């Protein structure tokens, strides 16, 4: 069989990556086929264009008929077409691209690029979760380079910070091997917030129970870390990372529970827990 598309063509023979089946049809594994044509990233690396666009603050449109994604931001636009050598249609149905490629093309560098990378990492891996916790079976949406913990919120935030260029040190580190797989500041929410505040000297905005998130929204950016005192007992017990600010609202990403865009609200009429926003300098 010969298949042609635009200026490319490939031949498929019985016994290569294709074979005849008993019903007389010619069969091929779809992932192998898509990889052969460059529609799937063979390494599984890269990030969804829609997540990168969100982290960059760009508008995105998708033309399914043309396999064309268009990003627009501040009077500039760029098109990415499936199979163009830069983008890949992955198994989850999203168009993926290497973040370094797109950041370079858009001229985003330094701390701004690192902030985008941290947010994009959070958006990609927020859905990691157990399929069968008893047997430690995961759904494959976590980053396999890191161990997945039962309470994974701070481990997840630390991973995003590290991908955003924050350097590990003697207080905040991960090595993965037992018995000392990581530091307390890497895994535990109160220790991470304390580390970012006292050791890194990042600014912290505090919103007490009964307060108003609107009081701090002007100083919060995507990529900032948020610590929660969900029980209003004076201790931080949960962490997330800000992923979007839109229409006067703050949204965060987290893992256990898994969120890409969980809105922080004054619920029902006032905040019913304490919040600490850490203004990370990437």
């Amino acid at each position: 069989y010969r298949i042609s598309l635009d200026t490319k063509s490939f031949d498929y023979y019985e016994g290569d990556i294709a074979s005849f089946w008993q019903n007389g049809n010619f069969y091929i594994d779809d992932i192998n086929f898509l990889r052969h044509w460059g529609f799937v990233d063979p390494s599984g690396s890269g990030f969804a264009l829609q997540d990168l666009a969100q982290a960059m603050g760009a508008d995105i449109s998708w033309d399914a008929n043309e396999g064309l994604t268009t990003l627009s931001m501040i009077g500039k636009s760029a098109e990415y077409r499936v199979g163009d050598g830069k983008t890949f249609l992955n198994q989850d149905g999203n168009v993926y691209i290497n973040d370094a490629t797109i950041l370079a093309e858009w001229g985003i560098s330094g701390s701004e690029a690192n902030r985008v990378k941290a947010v994009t990492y959070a958006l990609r891996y927020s859905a990691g979760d157990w399929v069968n916790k008893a047997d430690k079976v995961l759904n494959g949406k976590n980053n396999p380079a890191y161990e997945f913990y039962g309470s994974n919120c701070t481990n997840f935030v630390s991973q995003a910070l590290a991908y955003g260029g924050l350097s590990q040190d003697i207080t905040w580190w991960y090595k993965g091997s037992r018995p000392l797989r990581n530091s307390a500041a890497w895994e535990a929410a109160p220790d991470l917030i304390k580390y970012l505040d006292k050791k890194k000297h990042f600014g912290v905005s505090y919103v007490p129970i009964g307060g108003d998130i609107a009081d701090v929204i002007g100083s919060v950016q995507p990529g900032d870390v948020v610590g929660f005192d969900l029980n209003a007992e004076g201790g931080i017990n949960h962490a997330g990372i800000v992923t979007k600010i839109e229409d006067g609202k703050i949204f965060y990403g987290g893992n256990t529970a898994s969120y890409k865009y969980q809105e922080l609200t004054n619920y029902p009429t006032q905040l019913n827990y304490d919040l600490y926003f850490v203004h990370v300098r990437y």
Side-chain angles (χ1 to χ4, degrees):
Y1 279 86
R2 173 168 293 173
I3 298 178
S4 302
L5 177 66
D6 296 329
T7 59
K8 290 172 64 176
S9 67
F10 288 110
D11 294 333
Y12 297 92
Y13 295 90
E14 166 71 12
D16 51 14
I17 59 173
S19 60
F20 280 106
W21 193 238
Q22 296 156 330
N23 60 8
N25 289 319
F26 204 50
Y27 279 70
I28 188 170
D29 178 79
D30 57 342
I31 298 302
N32 283 335
F33 180 81
L34 291 169
R35 283 177 175 165
H36 196 196
W37 281 84
F39 290 155
V40 172
D41 180 351
S43 68
S45 62
F47 293 87
L49 263 172
Q50 62 189 34
D51 290 343
L52 274 162
Q54 176 61 59
M56 291 163 54
D59 295 322
I60 185 168
S61 63
W62 165 248
D63 185 335
N65 293 325
E66 297 292 331
L68 180 68
T69 305
T70 303
L71 266 60
S72 304
M73 181 172 64
I74 318 175
K76 178 181 176 181
S77 66
E79 294 181 343
Y80 300 91
R81 191 179 298 274
V82 171
D84 60 6
K86 294 184 291 188
T87 55
F88 306 88
L89 183 62
N90 220 331
Q91 295 101 313
D92 61 6
N94 290 315
V95 176
Y96 277 66
I97 192 169
N98 182 278
D99 57 339
T101 298
I102 197 168
L103 291 172
E105 288 184 351
W106 283 78
I108 299 173
S109 60
S111 61
E112 183 184 2
N114 286 338
R115 187 175 292 276
V116 168
K117 291 175 68 173
V119 173
T120 309
Y121 184 99
L123 295 176
R124 173 167 184 179
Y125 293 112
S126 62
D129 204 352
W130 298 108
V131 174
N132 184 329
K133 189 172 182 179
D135 295 331
K136 297 188 179 300
V137 178
L138 290 162
N139 63 6
K141 296 181 180 180
N142 59 299
N143 185 348
Y146 293 96
E147 189 167 346
F148 190 88
Y149 304 154
S151 296
N152 202 54
C153 65
T154 311
N155 176 37
F156 168 76
V157 171
S158 288
Q159 291 172 34
L161 292 173
Y163 193 77
L166 212 64
S167 298
Q168 298 183 39
D169 56 28
I170 60 172
T171 306
W172 181 73
W173 52 266
Y174 177 91
K175 64 179 182 179
S177 57
R178 295 174 182 273
L180 295 176
R181 58 193 180 184
N182 54 252
S183 67
W186 183 279
E187 181 183 1
D191 295 279
L192 175 63
I193 301 301
K194 180 180 178 181
Y195 165 77
L196 296 175
D197 177 19
K198 304 299 184 184
K199 180 80 180 284
K200 301 298 290 184
H201 304 294
F202 296 153
V204 178
S205 295
Y206 172 59
V207 185
I209 185 170
D212 191 343
I213 294 171
D215 293 340
V216 300
I217 194 169
S219 62
V220 177
Q221 300 181 72
D224 285 351
V225 172
V226 56
F228 300 76
D229 176 8
L230 296 175
N231 301 319
E233 294 176 341
I236 295 169
N237 46 37
H238 183 50
I241 184 166
V242 177
T243 51
K244 180 171 68 172
I245 298 175
E246 187 175 83
D247 298 329
K249 299 175 183 177
I250 300 174
F251 300 82
Y252 76 97
N255 192 255
T256 51
S258 299
Y259 302 119
K260 272 191 173 185
Y261 304 110
Q262 178 70 13
E263 183 184 348
L264 292 167
T265 61
N266 299 324
Y267 175 86
T269 57
Q270 63 179 18
L271 193 68
N272 59 354
Y273 44 76
D274 292 339
L275 284 178
Y276 301 80
F277 290 98
V278 182
H279 309 300
V280 180
R281 294 190 300 274
Y282 285 94

